Structures are given as structure tokens and as C-alpha cells.
Amino acid sequence: MLLRAIDRFFSHEASGGILLGLSAIAALIVANTGLQPLYDWLLNLPFAVTLNGDGLEKPLILWINDGLMAIFFFLIGLELKREILEGKLKNPRDVILPGLAAVGGMAVPAVVFAFFNWGNPETISGWAIPAATDIAFALGVLALVGSRVPAALKVFLLTLAILDDLGAIVIIALFYTADLKTTYLMLALLPLAAMLWMNMKGAHRVAPILLLGLVLWVLVLKSGVHATLAGVITAFLIPLKDKWGKSPLHALEHGLSPYVLFFIVPVFAFANAGVALDSIALSDMLAPLPLGIALGLVIGKQVGVFGMAWLVVKLGFAQLPNAVTWLHIYGLACLAGIGFTMSLFIGSLSFADPAMMDAVRLGVLSGSLVSGLLGYAVLRFSSAPAEDTAAPAVIR
């Protein structure tokens, strides 16, 4: 009975979002009780991997943010490649509406943040924090709404979130790169060339590519470029079809997805969501950094996603998906303001100071919570969809 209940939970669309939320709540509890010193000690515990005195030594929090999140981005890369070659991103006409909505949903929140932080060199670097959407949380809330949500809306949200992830990858590559060390970048071309050759040959075994990807990750990390990009590059070099017609990419994505959804992302949330609330006053919430993040997620996402979708449809470039109304689109725009995982990650790239990161956590948590509740309320009380034949989206 218990095993059956556990199996039903993990097979439910909302399970990833629920587990993510529980991890964030656990982090807040630990950070605000007597366990807080243990929490800080654990996250700052040094961990080293060296060979003959040379290697990597980082606190545990950076192993999570640079290492585990590289696997998270590796899965994103697998999904992007599959969607581009044979999925929702293959037909350009199907991408116009969610694609431009995703662009608006990244640009307007950044503008909202910049409005509150313009001229402040200490905080303006966080402009990209509210531009991200947490797909696990958003689809989890969407699943909780139930039959009132058309299946086409789930596909729309999934496509928007995939393109949002692609935008986040580009932002990280262009704007969150430290001082470059060209020697390591040149060395990184060696495993990259080997992986490219194996991809072109349609390699059946992916273990050699993954080992070369690990080498690439170390070299990219040491070069100053953020190491999560190595995960995306490695994913794009996994063959979609091998020489026997089988799909190493599909098999790897299917096998890796549960570990990312139910382990890596919750661990990241637990490590990054802990903020001490006892010393926080209303004035702290009204400071430019957390206020810019929170309003960027709540207001910026609504205006960006809904406004761009409305403009694209009214100009005749696209039309609303089957059985989807403007109220559904507005509810989806609210859900897009759940930044959480990606917002916290970009925040960790933007600020090293613990006090600044506490402000980031405050803005991300409050903005994501308001967005999630508002999106759920709008979709929950929207009219039931008409007959809907669109295929349901699959949560990653």
C-alpha cells in the first residue's frame, strides 16, 4: 500500500513541484532554527578533488551550484536538442507565439529590475534574476488546477519554458563569464572535437562522450566560463540516432530525468533557499534588490508574457492554441513569474556576498510565491475548457 502510494506520487505531474516546494520549506525551517549553524557549516564544508596537488577545491555549496547544476543543464540541453530536431521547436510556426511570449517574459522583468536598481553598481548585475521561469514549479501548479486547464495550455507553457531556458543559457554565456583563461579554453577544444567526431559517427555507447564531457566541464570551469555551459554542449553532442537507428539521446534523457527532478533540483533548492527571517523587516523587502526581483517576477512576467502574446495575436502573426482563452494566457503569465530554481541560480552567479544573496532569496521566494498563488487562482476559477484534442505535455 505504501509503495503504491509512493509510486503514484512520483508519477504525478505535480510531484516535482511539490518536492521542490518541500525542499525550500525545509531550508527555511533549518535556517530559522537551532540547526542554522549546522546548515551553514555543511554548505561551506570544503571538498577537494586533486591529483598530484592540482585539482579543484570548493565549498559544498559551489559543488552543488557548479557541479550538480551542470547535470541539470545537461538535461536541459538534451531536451532542447530533441525538441529542435523532432519536437515542439521543429516547426517554426508553432514557436512564434510561445517564443515571442518568452522573449517578452525575459525582457520586461529585466526592465522592471533595472528601473529599481539603475545607477547602483552593486545590484544592477542581478538584472537577469527575474527573467527566468521554473518549469517544475509552474507545471506542478498547472497540474494541481486539473481539468480546467486545456492540454494545449500545458504544451504552450512547456514550449515557453524551454525557450526561456535557452534564453537563460545565452544570458549566462554572454554576461556571467569571469576573467577568461584562454589556455584552458584551447585545451577544451580537444574533448570537444572528440565528442563531435563521436556524434557524427552515430556512436551507440554514450559513456565515452560523458567522460569527455566531464573533462570538458573541468576545463571550462578553470577557464572562467561558467561550467554549466559544458553540460549543455555535451548534451548537444549526444547522438539523436546511432548507427543502428536507436536513440542514445532519448534513452539518456529518460533515464536521467527522475534523478534531476527528484534529487538534483530539490538539493539545489535546499542549499540555496535558506534565509534567516528573524532579522528581516519591511524596509528590507522594499530595498531595490529584493523589490526589483519580486516585482520583476510578479509584474514583469505578467506584462511581458501576456502583453507580447496579445500583441502577436492582434497583429495576426499567430492565434491562440485550441480551447485556450485570454484568461488562460493571463494565468499562464502569472505562473511564468515562478522563478525559483533558475532565478536563485542566476542570483548565485550575480552576487558572492551572503547579505546580497539573502536579499536575492527574499525577492525570489516572495515573487515566486505571489506568482504561483495568483496563477493558481486565475486558472482555478477560469471556465472549464471546451473539447480539447491537443496532446498533453510531459513534465521533465
Side-chain angles (χ1 to χ4, degrees):
M1 181 72 72
L2 178 61
L3 292 178
R4 189 177 303 171
I6 293 174
D7 181 65
R8 283 201 303 268
F9 171 77
F10 283 106
S11 61
H12 194 277
E13 281 185 308
S15 58
I18 292 172
L19 191 58
L20 192 56
L22 292 175
S23 298
I25 292 171
L28 287 171
I29 292 173
V30 170
N32 290 276
T33 62
L35 295 173
Q36 190 264 341
L38 178 62
Y39 180 73
D40 290 341
W41 172 83
L42 182 64
L43 293 180
N44 290 286
L45 186 67
F47 185 79
V49 177
T50 60
L51 179 64
N52 194 30
D54 189 25
L56 296 173
E57 181 175 356
K58 293 175 174 288
L60 185 59
I61 181 65
L62 291 184
W63 281 103
I64 293 171
N65 291 353
D66 292 342
L68 289 184
M69 288 303 284
I71 302 175
F72 170 78
F73 276 88
F74 175 72
L75 180 63
I76 289 177
L78 293 175
E79 293 173 341
L80 281 172
K81 181 174 181 178
R82 171 177 54 78
E83 295 291 352
I84 290 171
L85 294 180
E86 59 181 20
K88 302 173 185 65
L89 305 182
K90 184 177 181 179
N91 186 349
R93 293 185 62 184
D94 296 335
V95 180
I96 293 175
L97 184 58
L100 291 177
V103 172
M106 288 184 285
V108 178
V111 171
V112 172
F113 179 90
F115 175 80
F116 290 97
N117 291 271
W118 195 260
N120 188 340
E122 293 184 352
T123 61
I124 192 62
S125 61
W127 61 270
I129 296 173
T133 295
D134 191 303
I135 181 59
F137 254 141
L139 282 178
V141 174
L142 205 61
L144 293 175
V145 178
S147 60
R148 292 180 179 274
V149 177
L153 190 69
K154 299 179 184 179
V155 176
F156 186 98
L157 177 59
L158 189 61
T159 306
L160 182 146
I162 290 171
L163 294 168
D164 188 279
D165 286 342
L166 180 60
I169 291 168
V170 173
I171 287 172
I172 292 170
L174 295 179
F175 300 102
Y176 292 94
T177 295
D179 296 333
L180 286 178
K181 298 178 181 177
T182 55
T183 301
Y184 286 108
L185 279 181
M186 296 300 293
L187 289 174
L189 295 176
L190 297 176
L192 183 62
M195 288 190 292
L196 181 60
W197 178 79
M198 297 179 72
N199 176 71
M200 295 175 63
K201 295 285 288 184
H204 174 68
R205 298 186 182 278
V206 297
I209 299 179
L210 296 179
L211 289 174
L212 289 168
L214 179 60
V215 175
L216 180 68
W217 176 81
V218 173
L219 293 173
V220 170
L221 180 64
K222 285 183 166 291
S223 73
V225 178
H226 201 271
T228 52
L229 299 177
V232 178
I233 294 170
T234 302
F236 269 82
L237 294 175
I238 299 293
L240 179 64
K241 300 290 184 181
D242 63 18
K243 55 186 177 182
W244 290 294
K246 297 181 180 179
S247 179
L249 187 148
H250 285 181
L252 191 57
E253 181 185 355
H254 179 75
L256 184 61
S257 183
Y259 295 98
V260 172
L261 190 62
F262 300 123
F263 174 71
I264 290 177
V265 174
V267 167
F268 173 85
F270 180 77
N272 287 273
V275 56
L277 301 175
D278 56 349
S279 60
I280 293 177
L282 179 61
S283 58
D284 296 318
M285 186 62 230
L286 297 178
L289 179 56
L291 186 63
I293 293 172
L295 292 184
L297 291 171
V298 177
I299 304 299
K301 281 290 186 179
Q302 289 183 40
V303 174
V305 173
F306 184 85
M308 184 63 79
W310 182 86
L311 186 63
V312 169
V313 171
K314 293 303 179 182
L315 291 176
F317 295 129
Q319 59 184 5
L320 290 180
N322 182 42
V324 173
T325 68
W326 283 114
L327 189 59
H328 290 132
I329 296 295
Y330 177 67
L332 181 144
C334 296
L335 292 186
I338 306 176
F340 203 72
T341 304
M342 288 298 295
S343 293
L344 287 174
F345 180 72
I346 295 176
S348 70
L349 301 182
S350 305
F351 306 108
D353 180 63
M356 301 283 275
M357 272 308 299
D358 280 345
V360 169
R361 294 184 183 103
L362 184 61
V364 170
L365 292 174
S366 58
S368 297
L369 179 61
V370 172
S371 295
L373 292 175
L374 185 58
Y376 175 82
V378 171
L379 294 174
R380 176 66 180 82
F381 295 105
S382 63
S383 59
E387 184 179 353
D388 184 10
T389 57
V394 179
I395 188 170
R396 71 181 176 192

